């Protein structure tokens, strides 16, 4: 999930901005990655696409804040691109047996729990809770772990040191991911409790 803009920067309704264009380009990398990974099984090329897509996670938000071009569309596109990369990578890696099913299940379960929280908030007329740095860090580590894990499989000569690094990052990311989920649940609970107190 991506860092929210500073409170002093107002979101606009603009669509055609440089940060939004970067987010769209990142989204186009998802089907390309899946084609390289599952279609033609060009793992090194898939690693490159995944690494670029993951490492540019911060670029669109940074440019939006620096150029004062934060938009409501961008606030939706940025975290959507992150989640799409993670889900697509999990699906591709599970099909290719790069990662075990338990990791896929643990990460998708977290997304399902968070999805329920967001639905409850939306039914009450609220948007998503403020992004926490713990969740942002977990996403960054996960997007860093995936290319390293795939690279270890694609290039056996570096497997001995690349695989432990990749899985170390993956375990760290998994822990932070669930910690962030708990924090979002607490934030949502406080919002809903305050809403009940106001209406009672």
């Amino acid at each position: 999930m991506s860092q929210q803009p500073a409170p002093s920067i107002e979101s606009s309704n603009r669509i055609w901005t440089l940060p939004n264009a970067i987010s769209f380009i990142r989204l186009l990398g998802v089907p390309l990655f899946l084609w390289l990974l599952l279609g033609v099984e060009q793992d090194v090329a898939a690693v490159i696409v995944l690494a670029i897509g993951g490492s540019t996670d911060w670029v669109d938000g940074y440019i939006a804040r620096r150029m004062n071009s934060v938009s409501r569309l961008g606030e939706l596109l940025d975290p959507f691109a992150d989640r799409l990369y993670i889900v697509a990578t999990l699906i591709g890696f599970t099909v290719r047996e790069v990662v075990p099913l338990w990791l896929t299940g643990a990460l998708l379960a977290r997304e399902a729990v968070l999805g329920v929280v967001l639905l409850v908030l939306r039914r009450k007329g609220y948007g998503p809770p403020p992004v926490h740095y713990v969740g942002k860090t977990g996403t960054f580590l996960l997007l860093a772990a995936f290319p390293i894990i795939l690279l270890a499989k694609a290039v056996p000569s570096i497997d001995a040191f690349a695989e432990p690094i990749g899985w170390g990052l993956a375990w760290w990311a998994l822990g932070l991911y669930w910690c962030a989920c708990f924090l979002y649940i607490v934030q949502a609970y406080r919002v809903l409790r305050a809403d009940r107190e106001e209406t009672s």
Side-chain angles (χ1 to χ4, degrees), residues 8 29 47 56 68-69 78 82 95 106 120 128 131 136 161 171 193:
S8 59
V47 167
T56 54
N68 196 24
S69 56
D78 191 15
D82 291 345
V95 171
V120 171
V131 174
K136 185 66 177 176
F161 67 89
W171 274 105
R193 185 179 64 181

Side-chain angles (χ1 to χ4, degrees), residues 126-161:
Y126 293 100
V131 174
H132 199 280
Y133 73 91
V134 174
K136 185 66 177 176
T137 304
T139 299
F140 174 79
L141 291 174
L142 201 57
L143 291 174
F146 284 155
I148 297 174
I149 291 172
L150 181 58
L151 190 62
K153 180 180 177 65
V155 186
S157 61
I158 65 169
D159 176 74
F161 67 89

Side-chain angles (χ1 to χ4, degrees), residues 90-175:
L90 281 174
I91 292 171
F93 278 19
T94 304
V95 171
R96 286 284 307 278
E97 298 182 347
V98 177
V99 298
L101 280 172
W102 65 260
L103 178 65
T104 303
L107 290 170
L108 292 181
R110 185 265 192 188
E111 292 298 320
V113 170
L114 191 57
V116 171
V117 171
L118 295 177
L119 282 175
V120 171
L121 286 172
R122 181 170 293 179
R123 288 189 63 183
K124 294 293 184 178
Y126 293 100
V131 174
H132 199 280
Y133 73 91
V134 174
K136 185 66 177 176
T137 304
T139 299
F140 174 79
L141 291 174
L142 201 57
L143 291 174
F146 284 155
I148 297 174
I149 291 172
L150 181 58
L151 190 62
K153 180 180 177 65
V155 186
S157 61
I158 65 169
D159 176 74
F161 67 89
E163 187 173 21
I165 293 172
W167 279 105
L169 291 172
W171 274 105
W172 192 8
L174 181 61

Side-chain angles (χ1 to χ4, degrees), residues 13-71:
N13 290 318
R14 287 179 295 173
I15 295 177
W16 302 112
T17 66
L18 178 58
N20 288 352
I22 294 172
S23 294
F24 278 121
I25 292 171
R26 289 185 66 220
L27 285 171
L28 292 175
V30 174
L32 175 60
F33 163 74
L34 287 175
W35 177 72
L36 290 170
L37 182 69
L38 301 177
V40 295
E41 295 192 4
Q42 294 292 323
D43 291 349
V44 174
V47 167
I48 294 171
V49 173
L50 185 59
I52 293 173
S55 63
T56 54
D57 169 41
W58 60 276
V59 174
D60 42 9
Y62 175 79
I63 292 176
R65 290 187 294 274
R66 292 287 293 181
M67 296 179 61
N68 196 24
S69 56
V70 174
S71 67

